[in-house]
Structures are given as C-alpha cells and as structure tokens.
Amino acid sequence: MTTKRLEIERMGYGPEAIAHDADGKTVFVTGGVPGDTVEAETDADEARFSRAHVTKVLEASPDRVTPPCPFVDVCGGCPWAHLSYEAQLAAKRSGVVDALTRLGGFSAEDADALVAPIVAPGEPWGYRNKVELAVVTQRGRAVVGMHAAGSAGVVKVPSCPLLDSKFKGVVKAVQGAMNFLAGSRDLGLERVGIRASRRTKELEVALWGAPGPFPRPQVAKVLGDATKVTSVVRVMQKGPAKARRIAGVERLSGKGSWGELVGSESMRVSAPSFFQVNTRGADKLVSLVMEGLSPAEDEEAMDLYCGAGTFTLPLARKSGFVSAVESYGPAVRDLRHNLDAASLTNVDPIGGDAGIEFPDVDADVIVVDPPRAGLAADVVAQLSDQPARAIAYVSCDPATLARDLARFRDEGVFEPVSVTPVDLFPQTFHVENVTILHRQ
C-alpha cells in the first residue's frame, strides 16, 4: 500500500471521486470531494487506474460538508454525503451530459442544450420511504444492520437519516425485535425490508429468506409490539444468490401489502414489487411524463415495464386505452389490484417480457420505464415501428439511456427533445432522467 497526495477533480458516476496522480494515472478516490487536497492510501493498482481511500484531508474543498449521520464513512448508503447538496446536483447533471457525449454520440454542445436543469423534488435527507437491513451471522449470532461500505458486513445504526423522519425510531425498533427473535433460533433470513409512508401512515416489515419452518405467530407479535406496523410479510426465495426467484409470500399480520399515494392515485404494492423509494420524486416523474406526452381522451397509450402502475393509472385517466406490459409476476398482480381499486377498465394488463409481449396496437403515446439495463435493441426497433407521436423514457442509468438514444437515432424515427434529470437519490451518485422523444 502506498500513500499519495492528490487533488480531487470531480465526482465520477459511482461512489468515488476522480483524481490523477503524479504520473497522470486516473485514481478513483473513496471519501474525496472535488476541490479537496488529500492524502490517500492505495487499495488497488491496475495498469490504467488505481483505487484509493482518503486517509487525511489536507485542504478541504468549499463544497465539503459535515453530514448529519456519524456512520457515513462505514455505511454504504450515503457515498456522497460529504459533498454539499448544490454540488451533488451540479455533478449529477454534468454526469448526464457527459454520458450523452461519450456514450450517446452527441456533441458536447447538443448534449448540454438537451439536458434541462436538474430537478430536486424534495429534501436531501429524510426522503426515502424504504430502507433495507442486511442480516449476517457473526460469532454464531445473527446481526441486523445497514450494508457496510465496500464489504459484505453490516453496520449497526440506531437510525437512518435517509428514512422519512416521521419513522426515525423504526430502524432501531426492528433491529431490536429481529435480534431478540434470532437469539433463540436461526430464522434463515437474508435481509429485512422496511417501507413507510407519511401520506398513508402505513408501515410494512418484509422478512426475506429461504423457505422452511418459521415461527410465524411469534415473529408477528414481537414486531407488532416493537413498532406500529400495519403489515408483516415473509418473502421466500429459492435459487443461487444471483438468480433468486420468489417461492412465495406469506402475510404474517396486517394488510399483507403496503399502501402509498402518488399524486392523486392510491396504490398498493406487495413486498417483492418495485416502487420508487422517493415518493415526492415519483410525483415529479409522473408530472414530467404526463406534461411531456399530454395524452388525449381519443388517444391510445402504451406503458412498458409498468410495474404496479405508477404511470399506468394516470395514463388511463387521460387517454382512451392503455396497453400495460410487466414481466414480474407480483407486480402484475399489484397492477390488476390497483386498476380494480381505481375502477379503471380501459387498461389491458399484459404479463411478460416487453420484447416478446409487445402490444399489437398502434399507440399514440408511449411510456417506457425499464430497469437499469435499459431497453433491449429489439424493443427500440419495435418502438420505432410504432406510429406514436411521442415517447417518454424514464431511466435510472445515464449510460444505458445514452446508448438507447443512440439506437433511436440510428432507427431515424424518434428524436429526443428534452432530458430532465430528477434527483430521487440525494447523498448517492444515482439520478433518474425523464426523456421526451418526438417523431421526426
């Protein structure tokens, strides 16, 4: 291990900052803030780059701040917490412009003109409606806590300032309950999910682990005594770590699902289903999509990768008919429930892969909200065959968004007219983007 003096230049798309050593080699630096002068110890030295972590700040950047959580350097949840929020926002927008330039083939001028000012829909702390606790075995005992930075371990924390402050004591209460339960037997758990809504007052605890014997009544009672929980569920998984599949979901107490309000829509979401962790951010995504598409009553809409219906429901309110495609079984069931609860009958929920189950319709407006991997090439081709006047592409990864916009350009049908970054994940490098494409 060697120690280097480094000038931190900028943030990368990741938890680390970027510097160059005396030989010009790129160094990815954990704990650095642009404008810092630091001493950093090398963790890995490759041919073209190295990785290091800050051991001493020699001269602090004007953008360096003291975060409100004492665990940010050991917990993996807030890698950008030492960077002022204004600087975080600027770095995220710059990252989107950079991705469009390097990976999308846009000129720097065109990319900068295309990307709108970043939107900050809420506060930089206390914005999350969900946290996950890891469960590991240490010295023969189960330990429940936050994922540790850069390792497979856990960090026991009394609270998480990213979680809505109304539920400040929930993390400690759940940790205590689970430590008590695990003290007498192995529950076979891998993680514990907590979902909390300020708007509906609902709190759900989801226990993720392997099938097998389980003390259901005891677990439900202990968690119920520890928290004002409205739902306790057990999510059972099978298969290797990188290919887990849901083997079943059991309701241990309460409603068996979690409820949230997004805009004017009431939604219920089961524990395995994806839902945006920032509710105010989800509100903003919906408004940007709906404003960008302006669907009309006589128009047909398509919603690919629709999940539990975050965009499907408002689309159904405004358009004549919606074809909604989702591959994940639990989310499809949630979508059907949410449509029934909203008394919306002008939606065709389709279960399956978007490329294989691509709707046989002529859509006027389209929403796509794919996972981090982005759109498959065949989906871009099928979208380009549609007669639609506009597409709203909601992306959580600037790199795959840039790649897909280049594919749309190659097809020569749809052209992006705006990319709006939305900061759904303060204190991290992640950024959501809403891109509106119009027919050329």
Side-chain angles (χ1 to χ4, degrees):
M1 298 295 179
T2 58
T3 299
K4 299 180 179 182
R5 179 187 175 98
L6 299 170
E7 307 284 340
I8 306 299
E9 301 161 16
R10 61 185 176 88
M11 299 304 297
Y13 185 69
E16 302 147 321
I18 295 175
H20 289 84
D21 64 16
D23 297 324
K25 180 187 286 188
T26 300
V27 185
F28 296 97
V29 187
T30 299
V33 167
D36 278 346
T37 301
V38 303
E39 283 186 358
E41 187 174 282
T42 302
D43 299 313
D45 196 8
E46 307 293 339
R48 299 179 60 185
F49 67 90
S50 60
R51 298 189 184 279
H53 66 275
V54 172
T55 54
K56 185 177 183 181
V57 178
L58 303 175
E59 184 176 338
S61 164
D63 291 321
R64 177 173 281 277
V65 297
T66 300
C69 179
F71 299 98
V72 295
D73 292 324
V74 292
C75 174
C78 302
W80 280 23
H82 287 292
L83 184 62
S84 73
Y85 191 50
E86 293 76 12
Q88 289 184 36
L89 294 174
K92 290 182 182 186
R93 183 186 181 276
S94 294
V96 176
V97 172
D98 180 64
L100 294 179
T101 304
R102 290 186 304 104
L103 305 173
F106 293 84
S107 70
E109 295 77 12
D110 288 347
D112 188 61
L114 187 63
V115 179
I118 189 168
V119 176
E123 297 299 318
W125 295 93
Y127 64 86
R128 289 186 67 99
N129 57 44
K130 179 183 179 181
V131 295
E132 283 199 348
L133 306 177
V135 182
V136 299
T137 301
Q138 295 178 350
R139 300 187 185 91
R141 290 182 59 86
V143 178
V144 182
M146 296 293 183
H147 293 274
S151 75
V154 301
V155 179
K156 295 189 70 173
V157 300
S159 63
C160 175
L162 291 182
L163 185 65
D164 189 318
S165 59
K166 180 179 175 61
F167 300 91
K168 184 177 181 179
V170 168
V171 170
K172 184 176 182 179
V174 170
Q175 282 180 320
M178 298 315 301
N179 287 334
F180 171 78
L181 289 163
S184 58
R185 62 183 300 172
D186 181 8
L187 299 176
L189 298 179
E190 296 178 355
R191 56 191 166 109
V192 178
I194 300 171
R195 273 177 168 158
S197 170
R198 176 180 288 266
R199 296 176 177 181
T200 65
K201 311 297 189 295
E202 292 195 24
L203 172 67
E204 179 174 77
V205 175
L207 310 172
W208 293 72
F214 198 78
R216 297 170 182 82
Q218 182 190 16
V219 169
K221 183 178 188 311
V222 170
L223 281 169
D225 290 343
T227 66
K228 295 180 180 179
V229 68
T230 58
S231 174
V232 179
V233 296
R234 179 190 181 204
V235 184
M236 294 166 286
Q237 303 176 100
K238 289 182 177 180
K242 292 185 178 181
R244 290 278 195 265
R245 67 181 190 276
I246 303 298
V249 179
E250 292 183 336
R251 181 180 68 85
L252 304 186
S253 70
K255 297 181 178 181
S257 62
W258 178 73
E260 182 60 297
L261 295 172
V262 180
S264 60
E265 301 294 345
S266 178
M267 299 183 64
R268 297 215 66 82
V269 185
S270 59
S273 291
F274 169 80
F275 189 80
Q276 293 289 359
V277 300
N278 186 328
T279 301
R280 291 179 67 180
D283 291 342
K284 189 61 183 177
L285 295 181
V286 171
S287 67
L288 286 169
V289 166
M290 298 301 288
E291 290 167 8
L293 295 182
S294 297
E297 290 182 1
D298 61 347
E299 289 188 313
E300 183 145 346
M302 185 187 301
D303 187 6
L304 304 185
Y305 315 93
C306 66
T310 301
F311 300 107
T312 310
L313 272 65
L315 274 175
R317 303 280 186 194
K318 296 291 186 180
S319 60
F321 192 81
V322 184
S323 298
V325 183
E326 171 56 46
S327 64
Y328 193 47
V332 176
R333 290 190 286 273
D334 291 341
L335 172 64
R336 293 181 187 277
H337 172 88
N338 290 327
L339 291 171
D340 289 343
S343 300
L344 291 169
T345 59
N346 61 332
V347 177
D348 180 17
I350 304 168
D353 177 82
I356 298 172
E357 300 295 339
F358 197 92
D360 184 17
V361 299
D362 290 333
D364 298 289
V365 293
I366 300 172
V367 178
V368 293
D369 184 12
R372 193 168 301 279
L375 299 172
D378 68 303
V379 174
V380 173
Q382 291 181 84
L383 288 167
S384 298
D385 285 338
Q386 282 286 306
R389 59 176 175 80
I391 297 174
Y393 183 165
V394 183
S395 167
C396 60
D397 189 321
T400 55
L401 171 65
R403 178 204 66 198
D404 292 344
L405 293 184
R407 289 172 172 172
F408 275 112
R409 185 193 305 113
D410 291 342
E411 292 286 344
V413 179
F414 292 99
E415 185 73 19
V417 296
S418 67
V419 178
T420 304
V422 185
D423 189 24
L424 264 66
F425 315 100
Q427 317 311 325
T428 81
F429 59 90
H430 298 290
V431 61
E432 203 87 1
N433 288 280
V434 176
T435 300
I436 303 299
L437 301 98
H438 286 173
R439 176 173 292 277
Q440 295 188 46

